[in-house]
Amino acid sequence: FFCRLKQFRRLATRYEKLATRFNAFLQLACAYIWLM
């Protein structure tokens, strides 16, 4: 699962500096992986 999350460059490099935005994108990425 973590390897699939690393495909999202935005998560791997942590472009988002605010924790709330990072958490929101993390949830979106998890939902996307779960649906695929």
Side-chain angles (χ1 to χ4, degrees), residues 15-27:
Y15 283 153
E16 308 295 338
K17 298 301 179 193
L18 298 177
T20 54
R21 289 185 183 175
F22 180 75
N23 190 21
F25 191 77
L26 179 64
Q27 290 177 1

Side-chain angles (χ1 to χ4, degrees):
F1 182 75
F2 291 107
C3 291
R4 294 184 86 188
L5 276 177
K6 286 184 179 181
Q7 292 176 354
F8 294 93
R9 184 178 174 162
R10 190 173 185 170
L11 280 177
T13 57
R14 180 117 192 227
Y15 283 153
E16 308 295 338
K17 298 301 179 193
L18 298 177
T20 54
R21 289 185 183 175
F22 180 75
N23 190 21
F25 191 77
L26 179 64
Q27 290 177 1
L28 283 173
C30 290
Y32 179 76
I33 290 172
W34 182 65
L35 289 173
M36 297 305 280

